[in-house]
């Protein structure tokens, strides 16, 4: 059916000339990129040498060392324990942090600002740094890894929980408030049920994230299979290191597939 609209209104908007500010940002980024490439000494020669060294590593790593798989299985089980315990406690603690950080559930603006600052601090510090701190505090072993996962999970999950809480439709909350329901009743009867699916998906992703983190935390003595990997690399037992890497790969991919199936059923 013909239209009487002008042709210019039917066409997509043309590309606008970048402003001076945009050009400034682009030039600053380009300058930082060039300076960073020079400072990190990224050269073709080093890349080619790295390819040769990697081929030597793979040549010494194959075939994988399949001895003492029971030791690796126990270390991997310990890594799973670190991830699951840390995430479970972290997610439970994330909920009150999220309620205090969300605009529609915080009791006062200063509480929301303070809670957001605390959550941002937990999220900004990498989990590896948390592990180093807790290794000094409680000593080597899985407990340091669990505490590091808890802190990292709170920083990650509390942010997404609070953002989802702020996105809930105000209708059910206002209806409960109109009947005389208190703040906790509104949260439990209207806000949490609407956000449950999203929080569950975030929690499952937190487990996936923690499982990968728990492997690297072992490199600094926080327990798990990362300890075995660090020892194998230090002793140049590359065949055993490859076995550990394959072990980790199978477990992580398997858990991600399981998590995806659970997420599909929940969402």
């Amino acid at each position: 059916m013909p239209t009487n609209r002008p042709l210019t209104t039917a066409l997509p908007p043309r590309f606008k000339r970048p402003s001076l500010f945009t050009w400034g940002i682009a030039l600053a980024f380009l300058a930082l990129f060039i300076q960073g490439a020079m400072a990190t000494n990224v050269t073709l020669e080093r890349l080619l040498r790295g390819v040769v060294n990697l081929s030597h590593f793979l040549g010494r790593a194959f075939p994988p060392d399949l001895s003492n798989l029971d030791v690796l299985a126990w270390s991997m089980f310990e890594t799973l324990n670190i991830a699951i315990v840390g995430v479970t406690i972290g997610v439970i603690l994330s909920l009150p942090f999220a309620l205090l950080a969300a605009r529609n559930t915080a009791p006062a603006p200063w509480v929301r600002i303070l809670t957001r600052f605390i959550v941002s601090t937990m999220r900004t510090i990498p989990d590896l740094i948390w592990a180093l701190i807790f290794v000094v505090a409680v000593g080597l072993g899985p407990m340091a890894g669990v505490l590091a996962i808890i802190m990292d999970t709170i920083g990650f999950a509390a942010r997404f929980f609070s953002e989802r809480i702020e996105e809930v439709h105000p209708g059910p909350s206002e209806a409960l408030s109109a009947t005389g329901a208190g703040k906790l009743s509104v949260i439990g009867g209207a806000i949490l049920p609407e956000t449950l699916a999203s929080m569950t998906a975030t929690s499952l992703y937190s487990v996936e994230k923690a499982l990968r983190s728990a492997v690297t935390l072992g490199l600094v003595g926080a327990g798990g299979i990362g300890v075995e990997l660090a020892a194998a690399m230090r002793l140049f037992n590359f065949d055993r290191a490859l076995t550990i890497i394959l072990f980790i790969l199978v477990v992580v991919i398997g858990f991600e597939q399981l998590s995806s199936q659970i997420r599909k059923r929940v969402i």
Side-chain angles (χ1 to χ4, degrees), residues 117-127 129-130 152 155-156:
F117 175 76
I118 295 173
V119 172
S120 297
T121 302
M122 293 180 181
R123 185 172 62 254
T124 301
I125 300 176
D127 49 10
I129 304 300
W130 282 121
D152 185 65
F156 172 79

Side-chain angles (χ1 to χ4, degrees), residues 213-228:
S213 297
V215 173
T216 59
L217 296 183
L219 301 177
V220 296
I225 201 168
V227 176
E228 297 288 339

